[in-house]
Amino acid sequence: MGDAKRKQMGKKAFLALPENQRCVYCGSAEDLTVDHFPPRDFFLNRQFPEGYMYPACSACNAGKSSDEQALGFLVSMLDWEVDDGRSEFRRHLRAARNNHPQLIRELEALSPTRSKRFLRQALGGSDAVAASGMNGWQAVQLGPEGKSLLNKMCVWFGQTLYFKHNQEVFSGEVLATKLPHSAIKENKFQEIISRLSGIPKIKQTGHDISDQFFYRYYAVDGGFYAILQFNKPQIFFVICAMTNEHIPKNLSSDNGWFRSGPVGPQ
């Protein structure tokens, strides 16, 4: 049996499982396909981790495609060791230019002074910047398109990881925020991390690839909470997914939190 046939048989077997009978995003039971999230474009040589496959209807799966390619570019930029000479980065850049040219146009280069200030704050001082070989690096700031794409990504993570760890299609709201790399030094951050007891193993064909994608989570009936990072992160993503019946009536999304509004089947 050829690789293509074996792969197709694997998808059929996956979609035949009782828990995979509805789209993880909209709840539809029609025209189901297999979605990989995080997307292949987030990983070196597109080698995505094992166990991160989800049932998705064709409409939802296809609708995410161009956004995921642009997100591959943004995620590669979040790596401190990004190199514009790497073929992976150039491929992500071409995809972003083709599918989301506005994303590229909106990137705003910070002045040398602001870039220096940003690097010192992020890495913990001028000595740390020098030790990292980043003296003279220029920072860029995302525009509305980039921020919107990252918010979409957080919603998809809320839906897929809630499904993975709670074994049901999510219906509710996702809240998300971003923390700078320097937050890892804060006691409050370490306290939150210590309470997230779920530490999944991220593997591809048996090899540990948690250096490319790592998260800690806490899942309960009606809720999922996680802190995620990619590669060597400049920022951490904090995601809270709460089902409709568990959303507090007085919930506020102030202080830099994004609130999705209703997602999933209502």
Side-chain angles (χ1 to χ4, degrees):
M1 183 183 296
D3 288 342
K5 183 68 173 178
R6 188 180 297 110
K7 186 175 182 181
Q8 187 64 28
M9 289 291 290
K11 289 183 178 181
K12 287 183 178 179
F14 176 81
L15 293 174
L17 295 173
E19 63 269 27
N20 295 335
Q21 301 303 301
R22 297 174 66 202
C23 174
V24 71
Y25 301 108
C26 72
S28 172
E30 303 296 326
D31 196 18
L32 292 179
T33 62
V34 176
D35 184 34
H36 300 89
F37 202 84
R40 292 179 174 89
D41 282 326
F42 285 20
F43 297 94
L44 187 63
N45 298 322
R46 292 170 57 85
Q47 298 297 305
F48 57 89
E50 300 162 358
Y52 290 80
M53 297 165 56
Y54 305 95
C57 69
S58 293
C60 286
N61 207 347
K64 293 164 60 259
S65 179
S66 65
D67 286 347
E68 287 178 351
Q69 289 178 327
L71 281 166
F73 167 70
L74 291 179
V75 167
S76 67
M77 285 185 66
L78 297 179
D79 186 349
W80 284 116
E81 295 184 352
V82 65
D83 180 353
D84 62 7
R86 273 174 29 190
S87 60
E88 290 276 328
F89 181 78
R90 293 200 302 272
R91 178 172 61 79
H92 291 148
L93 179 58
R94 285 196 300 271
R97 281 175 171 162
N98 291 335
N99 298 306
H100 284 272
Q102 184 66 16
L103 169 66
I104 306 300
R105 287 195 292 266
E106 287 179 353
L107 289 176
E108 178 187 350
L110 302 185
S111 68
T113 300
R114 290 180 65 192
S115 294
K116 185 184 297 184
R117 186 183 307 121
F118 167 77
L119 289 169
R120 286 176 176 175
Q121 290 174 345
L123 296 175
S126 56
D127 290 342
V129 174
S132 301
M134 296 183 184
N135 279 332
W137 278 37
Q138 188 173 31
V140 296
Q141 185 169 280
L142 294 180
E145 180 76 2
K147 294 174 182 177
S148 174
L149 283 167
L150 290 178
N151 286 337
K152 284 184 180 180
M153 180 189 75
C154 289
V155 171
W156 293 330
F157 266 121
Q159 292 177 284
T160 54
L161 292 178
Y162 181 93
F163 179 87
K164 179 176 179 64
H165 297 294
N166 288 41
Q167 292 297 296
E168 63 180 20
V169 175
F170 176 73
S171 178
E173 290 196 55
V174 175
L175 281 82
T177 191
K178 297 179 285 293
L179 297 176
H181 175 78
S182 57
I184 199 170
K185 300 176 182 178
E186 301 293 332
N187 291 335
K188 187 66 175 177
F189 181 85
Q190 293 298 330
E191 179 185 344
I192 293 172
I193 283 285
S194 69
R195 295 186 179 188
L196 300 176
S197 55
I199 309 175
K201 295 180 180 179
I202 313 297
K203 293 187 174 184
Q204 207 286 325
T205 59
H207 298 288
D208 183 1
I209 58 168
S210 58
D211 58 333
Q212 297 185 60
F213 171 55
F214 173 82
Y215 68 99
R216 292 194 180 186
Y217 72 92
Y218 182 68
V220 294
D221 182 30
F224 175 82
Y225 315 91
I227 292 180
L228 300 87
Q229 65 184 55
F230 301 100
N231 303 314
K232 296 185 177 179
Q234 296 185 37
I235 60 176
F236 296 88
F237 296 92
V238 183
I239 296 173
C240 304
M242 292 176 286
T243 58
N244 293 319
E245 60 270 26
H246 288 84
I247 299 172
K249 293 182 178 179
N250 60 347
L251 179 65
S252 172
S253 54
D254 297 334
N255 300 321
W257 283 83
F258 160 76
R259 184 172 179 178
S260 69
V263 298
Q266 301 299 312

